[in-house]
Amino acid sequence: MLIFTLRRLNLFIFTILLLTILSFSLSFLFPGEQLINLTGQLNASPEQLAILADEYKQQSGLISQYFSYLSHLFNGEMGYSMTSHLPISTEILNRLPATIELTSVALLVAMFFGIPIGFFAAIYHRKLPDNLILTVAMLGYSIPVFWLGILAILVFSIQLGWFPSAGQISLLFEIEPVTGLQLIDILLSDSPYKWQAFQDATRHLILPVIVVALAPATIFMRLARTAMLEVLDTHYIKAANAKGLTFAQIIYRHAMRNAFIKVIRDVGLQFANLITIAMVTEVIFSWPGIGRWLIESIYQRDYTAIQGG
C-alpha cells in the first residue's frame, strides 16, 4: 500500500511539474508580449507593466521567471481574462461548481447502472446475457460523445420535446447562488416556486448526465464483471459452496461485497475521465461549466484563460 501511494504521489508531482512548465511555455508561444500573455493586463500603463515585470522577474533568467510564475500560481494569482477582465481564479470558481455538479451526478448514475449490470454479466458468464452486456458495453464505449450529444438533442428535445436542449435552468426561475451547485441552491432558496425550479433543473440535467455517464458506465460494467469473476474463483467462495450455501447466499453475502471493493478503487480514475467527457458535453448542451468556458476562451484567443484552464 505504501509503495502504491508513493508511486501515485510521484506521478502526481511529475504531472504537476509538466503541466506548469507547459503552461508557462505557452506565454512565450502565444502572439504578443510574454508579460501580457502571462498577466492578461491589456490596458496596463508603462508604470504598471514595470511593476509586473519586477514581480514576474522579467529581468532574470528563465528559471527565476518560472519559479516566480509558480509562486503567483500557488497564491491563486493566474492573471486576468483578456475578454471579461475578471481574475482567472474568479472565472474558474464561478464555473467549477456547474462542472462538479454535472460530473458528480453522472458518476453516481454510471456506478448505479454499470456495477450491478457487470455483476449480472459475471453471474451469467459466457451465456447469452453476458454476451449481450459485453456487446452493449463495447458499443457504448465506442460512440463519440459529440455524436451522442447531438443525437440526444435531436431525438429527445426536438422530436419528442421531453427534455430541454440547453442551459442549466429555465430563465423563469431566479435562484440566488450560494454554493454554485444548482440543485443545492434551489433547495436552500426561499422561493415559493422552488419545487417547480427543482423539477426544471432536473429536466435540464438529465440529457447531459446520460451523455457523460454512458462511457464510464460501460467501463464500470467491465470492471465489475472482471472483479466478480475473480471473486467467484477464490477458495473461500468454493468453501462456502462446499458448506451448502445456496448460489444466491454466496453472491449476496460474500461475492458481491468483495467484488465491490475491487471496483471502488477505480472510481477516482473514472472521475478524471468524466471531466474530459464533460468538457465536450458542456459545449453541446450550453452547460455553464469550466469546459465550455475553456473552449470559448480558445475561440476568443483569451491566452490567460487558456493557461489557467
Side-chain angles (χ1 to χ4, degrees), residues 9-25 66-67 69-70 73-74:
L9 187 61
N10 285 334
L11 181 62
F12 173 75
I13 294 173
F14 184 69
T15 305
I16 291 294
L17 180 66
L18 283 181
L19 283 176
T20 52
I21 291 174
L22 176 64
S23 175
F24 177 67
S25 303
Y66 172 68
F67 280 107
Y69 168 74
L70 282 184
L73 189 66
F74 287 115

Side-chain angles (χ1 to χ4, degrees), residues 199-246:
Q199 292 175 5
D200 185 78
T202 304
R203 291 181 68 242
H204 279 80
L205 192 60
I206 289 175
L207 282 186
V209 162
I210 291 174
V211 172
V212 175
L214 181 62
T218 61
I219 295 174
F220 280 128
M221 286 180 200
R222 289 181 291 176
L223 289 174
R225 176 181 176 274
T226 304
M228 179 62 86
L229 288 176
E230 290 177 357
V231 170
L232 290 177
D233 197 39
T234 55
H235 292 297
Y236 64 86
I237 293 294
K238 293 175 182 174
N241 190 27
K243 287 180 181 177
L245 294 179
T246 64

